[in-house]
Amino acid sequence: MLILLPPSEGKAQAGNGPALGELSFSKLERHRRRVISALVKASKRRDALEVLGLSQGQKDELAKNVVLKEAATLPAAELYTGVLYDNLGLGTLSPGAARRAEEQVLIFSGLWGIVQVTDRIPPYRLSMGVNLPPLGGLASFWRPAITAELDRLPGLVVDMRSSTYAGAWKHQGVAVRVFSNGKVVSHMAKATRGEIARALLESGEDPATPEALVKLLGELGYAVRLDASSTKVDVETG
């Protein structure tokens, strides 16, 4: 089983370890270098906030982008904060679940493409939804390289990504949608997806089919159903 997560806008403010080194999925390195170079240049522009889709109140984020290559790093598990990651609680998983998270959790990123929870990366600010000069839309930029890497991996794909990040890889697994009173919800979805990811990791189970995933989630106490196409698992909350 592979659990796909988006990053979070909320991030730790500073790293505490060595500068950027080797990351997992080494075949993405050429693409990463190109995005880093483009992001550093974009962050120095007069219109940097506009280019990166940031507000005036986020101006300090530009300085982090400029020093990416020299900045101190920390594990992705500690860098990403926010509602989904608070509810996933990577730092408080049992030893067995933590090992599974290292193998099964993939975090999508506009800057890195994909990282694992143990990859050490510096704080940064870049959404997959940005049209980054001269690379263009980042989801389209990353898609061929990520597809070549992930299409070869075995296991059921359980997709917790937002739509912005889902565009970087189209898969044959299932996307988790969250409903409340029959309506799709957004903010609550982040919390629920984090809870579900944690429950799956702690369960120690490895469902191989969408049907097996639905059965497992039901056993874990969630109200779920599989849509007619078997590509979406709908979770009812509240």
Side-chain angles (χ1 to χ4, degrees):
M1 174 175 60
L2 295 175
I3 299 175
L4 311 184
L5 300 181
S8 62
E9 288 192 9
K11 297 179 182 69
Q13 292 302 301
N16 54 14
L20 189 63
E22 202 170 299
L23 303 179
S24 57
F25 298 100
S26 59
K27 291 183 179 179
L28 300 180
E29 280 307 309
R30 184 171 65 87
H31 284 68
R32 289 168 177 153
R33 287 194 297 270
R34 291 182 65 190
V35 179
I36 288 173
S37 177
L39 179 58
V40 170
K41 290 178 181 178
S43 297
K44 295 177 179 178
R45 291 171 51 148
R46 289 186 176 181
D47 60 347
L49 294 176
E50 181 181 351
V51 171
L52 300 179
L54 302 178
S55 67
Q56 195 65 36
Q58 296 169 314
K59 189 175 182 178
D60 290 346
E61 300 293 301
L62 299 176
K64 297 175 184 177
N65 291 344
V66 171
V67 297
L68 277 171
K69 296 178 183 178
E70 301 82 29
T73 62
L74 68 169
E78 299 175 20
L79 174 67
Y80 295 113
T81 60
V83 176
L84 188 154
Y85 287 90
D86 285 347
N87 284 271
L88 171 54
L90 287 166
T92 61
L93 292 171
S94 66
R99 287 193 296 272
R100 286 186 285 276
E102 292 177 8
E103 298 172 356
Q104 297 177 337
V105 171
L106 302 180
I107 303 171
F108 277 64
S109 164
L111 179 53
W112 315 111
I114 41 177
V115 293
Q116 294 180 286
V117 297
T118 53
D119 282 325
R120 297 191 67 95
I121 51 181
Y124 68 95
R125 190 60 177 247
L126 180 65
S127 169
M128 188 72 83
V130 167
N131 192 321
L132 184 64
L135 305 180
L138 289 174
S140 298
F141 172 80
W142 278 113
R143 191 179 305 123
I146 289 177
T147 298
E149 282 291 276
L150 298 189
D151 273 0
R152 61 184 176 82
L153 297 183
L156 176 69
V157 174
V158 181
D159 194 347
M160 310 276 192
R161 298 173 298 170
S162 58
S163 58
T164 301
Y165 291 87
W169 183 44
K170 306 295 185 181
H171 55 79
Q172 301 300 313
V174 291
V176 175
R177 300 190 300 184
V178 181
F179 290 77
S180 179
N181 298 319
K183 297 181 179 180
V184 177
V185 293
S186 54
H187 183 74
M188 186 186 299
K190 296 178 181 179
T192 301
R193 286 171 175 154
E195 292 172 3
I196 288 174
R198 183 183 182 92
L200 290 173
L201 293 168
E202 290 286 4
S203 76
E205 299 295 326
D206 191 14
T209 65
E211 292 77 12
L213 175 65
V214 168
K215 182 175 184 295
L216 174 59
L217 290 175
E219 292 170 351
L220 292 172
Y222 292 94
V224 295
R225 70 178 181 86
L226 189 63
D227 80 336
S229 68
S230 296
T231 62
K232 297 179 179 66
V233 171
D234 295 338
V235 182
E236 183 68 30
T237 64

